[in-house]
């Protein structure tokens, strides 16, 4: 089930219900907003303009813009819909023929072009057709709410807000907004839309864009001053600094350079007292790009341009600031960056780059010094609380840490000289904080994270976090045991948590020992259960492939057999423990991470979980219980009415043979990775809390440990022959290589029960034995080892 607390249209807040939403504007943001509402079961009316010269009465022609935009969005990667079927909840139309339909909507969300005059024209029509009391919001990037609401009716103004969408949802009340509406939106956005809610003051660009666009503008200026290339800047402002891998300029292409220019201009025009106002002037190079309609991905070229060389090969060109034209992409070589890449810890990387003396270090130091001074001076202008600025940048711009959190990594005292060297001044409240002997903006006391409140001049608990489980806050006071790559923490109420801390959260020997230790500990001490979850970007990318490769090269077959069996035994330990073991996946959950999820008493998955059995891509089969588990799940369906057994088995077989990855928790349920009893949580921050609550629910209902199954129906040689025939068909059609065929036949052999004459009933142990045998035999294949080596080197699968 899609787990929140109530269904979106039956919210417990009696103030209002949301059953249908109108989204006005089907651009990049509007179409994806429509998809997100459909994801949670809310009906959507998506409208846009009528194309020029579209004849009256020709519905297809008149709805072409909106239909094309929605189709483009749905085909995007990652897909905005959890499951394709949700698209049925979205009705499309146009502003001329269908605007009156908004009378049936509880929420009207405007997402048209960022121009005040056009938004005002839309609001005139909204006033004409909306039902009294319906919620109205604007997805503006930075136009003040007071300007948007000016001249509208009293009912319009009372029900008007400005939310901006990503994982961030900024709520900006207008001067006349009903306070009850603010409370409703903060509740609805967090619980049903899964957003990080940030309540903003009505200032130009609000919080995230005001600071994020400053950071971008400062980077633009430093690029010119330090004579750097866009490739150099993108390498420095990506994962090295805890920001999206794309870097600044590539991100600009993705967002749209016209959009960036409009937001810059809006801040420059509306913030005359901003001490960094001149930085927001649109730079010459951006004006050139905009004039030529080189707007980024939407136009096919921006700061980067994809083209074909003389040999017909794809080539990426880069924009040159000196010639204002494109050139071949250049390599990036900074000694400090090369050394920083070997540092796994973000605080370690940031601190090292901040202190480096080469050009990269100078760039990072000056960039962050400017950012620190800027955010200090935005309090109390854009927010009274510093944590809201960090929340905005983390969720709105996908930074790993917000500005004040990064400032803490560098250290207050360490940063002061850099800020002074940049000719900047920090705000008086920061000076007062330092004078009072405080050395950080955040601190953790008894597992609770607190922020420095500049009004009371004291530390306060971050509102809304009291009931959440935040593992980072528990490391000092609640850690029971660790071996470096895995830790066990006390989550309260007789429940322990297992947190992976290995590289990429890979499931190596230390992590497997940690899982077994935690389950043993819970059973021996009469605890309620175990939650396996973490707060890294991804739950787990699977087993330690490099170690498997090394052992295979060395011919350490006895050690490999033992390692695989231990991995399988741990999956079964999760399944058959005397206490419920809940696995809470999120992000990338691949291979062994998926297998452990499938063996849990109940999975509590984030809606944004990308999960699958991908071992075929590296020349193997799922060997940690995944093939066995899919065989069992197919068998459970055989007894249902109107079920064709071979069709059911073939669906599960195909998922493994094609390394199918579900792109959401709901899709994972559709393809059988998650069960109907598993939960999908829309808000990532609630996942561990819901996992803990699930253990308590299971115990209250009288939890009965699950035993190994010994009556799994397998279909034997006849069905095996049919699956082989399908595999040969793929090979003969050039859809699969010879090695793909060999792997798929191994999968089919396990899933039909091996060398059995016909239908038979087998145990989980029997199927796990077949898994091990197939897994080990494939590790002896040269082409499998080539696939593993290629994946470890490039991060991509090899088809050989």
């Amino acid at each position: 089930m899609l787990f929140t607390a109530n269904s979106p249209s039956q919210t417990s807040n009696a103030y209002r219900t949301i059953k249908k939403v109108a989204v006005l504007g089907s651009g990049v943001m509007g179409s994806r907003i429509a998809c997100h509402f459909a994801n949670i079961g809310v009906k959507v009316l998506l409208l846009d303009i009528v194309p020029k010269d579209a004849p009256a009465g020709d519905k297809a022609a008149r709805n072409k813009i909106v239909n094309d935009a929605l189709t483009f969005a749905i085909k995007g990667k990652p897909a905005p819909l959890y499951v394709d079927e949700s698209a049925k909840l979205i009705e499309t139309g146009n502003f001329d023929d269908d605007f009156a339909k908004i009378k049936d909507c509880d929420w009207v969300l405007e997402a048209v072009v960022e121009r005040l005059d056009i938004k005002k024209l839309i609001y005139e029509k909204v006033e004409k057709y909306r039902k009294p009391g319906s919620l109205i919001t604007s997805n503006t990037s930075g136009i003040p709410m007071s300007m948007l609401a000016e001249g509208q009716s009293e009912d319009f103004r009372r029900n008007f807000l400005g939310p901006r969408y990503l994982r961030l949802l900024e709520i900006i009340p207008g001067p006349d907004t009903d306070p009850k509406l603010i409370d409703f939106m903060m509740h609805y956005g967090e619980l049903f839309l899964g957003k990080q809610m940030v309540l903003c003051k009505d200032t130009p660009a609000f919080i995230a864009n005001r600071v994020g666009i400053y950071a971008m503008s400062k980077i633009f200026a430093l690029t010119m001053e330090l004579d750097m290339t866009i490739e150099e800047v993108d390498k420095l402002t990506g994962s090295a600094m805890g920001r999206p891998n794309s870097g600044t300029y590539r991100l600009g292409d993705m967002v749209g350079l016209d959009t960036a220019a409009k937001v810059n201009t809006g801040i420059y025009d509306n913030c005359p007292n901003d001490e960094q106002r001149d930085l927001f002037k649109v730079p010459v190079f951006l004006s050139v790009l905009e004039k030529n309609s080189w707007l980024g991905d939407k136009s096919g070229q921006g700061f980067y341009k994809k083209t074909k060389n003389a040999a017909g090969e794809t080539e990426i060109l880069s924009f040159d600031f000196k010639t204002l034209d494109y050139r071949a992409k250049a390599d990036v070589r900074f000694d400090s960056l090369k050394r920083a890449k070997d540092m796994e810890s973000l605080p370690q990387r940031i601190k090292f780059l901040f202190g480096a003396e080469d050009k990269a270090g100078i760039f990072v130091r000056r960039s962050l010094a400017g950012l620190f001074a800027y955010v200090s001076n935005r309090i109390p202008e854009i927010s009274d609380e510093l944590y809201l600025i960090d929340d905005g940048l983390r969720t709105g711009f996908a930074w790993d840490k917000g500005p004040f959190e990064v400032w803490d990594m560098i250290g207050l005292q360490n940063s002061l000289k850099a800020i002074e060297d940049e000719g900047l001044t920090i705000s008086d409240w920061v000076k007062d904080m330092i004078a009072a002997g405080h050395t950080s903006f955040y601190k953790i006391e008894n597992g609770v994270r607190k922020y420095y409140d500049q009004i009371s001049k004291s530390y306060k608990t971050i509102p809304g976090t009291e009931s959440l489980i935040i593992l980072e806050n528990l490391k000092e006071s609640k850690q029971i045991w660790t071996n470096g790559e895995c830790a066990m923490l006390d989550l309260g109420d007789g429940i322990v948590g297992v947190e992976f801390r290995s590289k990429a959260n890979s499931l190596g020997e230390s992590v497997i020992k940690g899982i077994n230790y935690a389950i043993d500990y819970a059973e021996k001490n009469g605890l309620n259960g175990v939650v396996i979850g973490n707060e890294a970007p991804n739950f787990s990318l699977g087993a330690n492939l490099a170690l498997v490769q090394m052992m295979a090269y060395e011919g350490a077959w006895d050690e490999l057999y033992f390692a695989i069996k231990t991995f399988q035994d741990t999956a079964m330990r999760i399944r058959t423990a005397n206490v419920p073991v809940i696995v809470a996946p999120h992000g990338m959950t691949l291979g062994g991470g998926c297998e452990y999820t499938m063996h849990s008493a109940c999975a509590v998955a984030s809606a944004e979980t990308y999960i699958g059995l991908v071992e075929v891509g590296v020349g193997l089969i799922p060997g940690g219980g995944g093939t066995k588990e899919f065989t069992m799940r197919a068998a459970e369906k055989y007894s249902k009415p109107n079920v064709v057994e071979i069709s059911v088995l073939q669906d599960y077989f195909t998922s493994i043979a094609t390394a199918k990855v579900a792109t959401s928790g709901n899709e994972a349920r559709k393809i059988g990775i998650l069960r109907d009893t598993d939960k999908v949580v829309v808000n990532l921050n609630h996942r561990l809390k819901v996992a803990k609550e699930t253990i308590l629910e299971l115990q209250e209902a009288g939890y009965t440990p699950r035993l190994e199954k010994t009556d799994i129906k397998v279909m034997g040689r006849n069905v095996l022959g049919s699956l082989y025939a399908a595999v040969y068909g793929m090979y003969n059609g050039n859809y699969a290589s010879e090695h793909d065929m060999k792997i798929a036949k191994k999968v089919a052999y396990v899933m039909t029960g091996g060398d059995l004459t016909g239908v038979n009933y087998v145990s989980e142990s029997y199927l796990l034995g077949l898994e091990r045998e197939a897994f080990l035999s494939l590790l002896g294949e040269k082409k499998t080892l080539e696939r593993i080596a290629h994946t470890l080197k490039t991060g991509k699968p090899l088809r050989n």
Side-chain angles (χ1 to χ4, degrees), residues 130 167 400 417 430 467 490 512 629 637 660-661:
R130 65 178 279 265
R167 189 174 158 231
D400 289 350
K417 185 178 184 306
V430 179
S467 63
D490 181 4
I512 290 171
E629 194 66 20
K637 292 185 176 181
K660 170 72 175 175
V661 175

Side-chain angles (χ1 to χ4, degrees), residues 690-711:
V690 173
K692 177 182 171 182
E693 291 170 350
T694 301
I695 288 178
L696 297 176
E697 290 167 4
L698 289 171
Q699 290 289 20
E700 187 176 349
Y703 183 71
T704 302
R706 297 172 297 167
L707 302 176
E708 178 183 344
K709 288 192 175 183
T710 58
D711 58 348

Side-chain angles (χ1 to χ4, degrees), residues 533-534 584-586 604-606 681 683-691:
N534 60 72
H586 69 286
V604 177
S606 166
V681 180
N683 192 312
L684 177 68
N685 296 335
H686 290 205
R687 180 175 44 95
L688 298 179
K689 171 190 172 186
V690 173

Side-chain angles (χ1 to χ4, degrees), residues 145 175 652 756:
M145 291 298 101
Y652 283 106
L756 299 175

Side-chain angles (χ1 to χ4, degrees), residues 589-596 598-599 610-617 620-631 652 654-662 671-673 751 771:
T589 304
L590 305 177
C594 176
E595 288 172 309
Y596 282 175
M598 293 170 71
H599 283 80
Y610 303 84
I611 185 169
L613 299 169
V614 296
E615 287 84 351
V616 166
L620 298 167
I621 76 164
T627 310
K628 176 269 300 180
E629 194 66 20
F630 262 14
T631 306
Y652 283 106
T654 302
S655 289
I656 295 179
T658 59
K660 170 72 175 175
V661 175
I671 65 175
I673 291 172
M751 296 189 76
E771 262 192 11

Side-chain angles (χ1 to χ4, degrees), residues 109-144:
L109 198 154
E110 169 268 302
V112 300
V113 65
E114 191 71 351
R115 277 179 48 182
L116 180 61
D117 57 337
I118 293 177
K119 290 180 184 293
K120 286 282 195 179
L121 289 173
I122 291 294
Y123 294 164
E124 287 180 15
K125 298 189 77 170
V126 171
E127 284 269 38
K128 181 178 179 180
Y129 293 112
R130 65 178 279 265
K131 64 182 177 183
S134 59
L135 169 62
I136 315 138
T137 61
S138 172
N139 194 52
T140 177
S141 298
I143 300 173

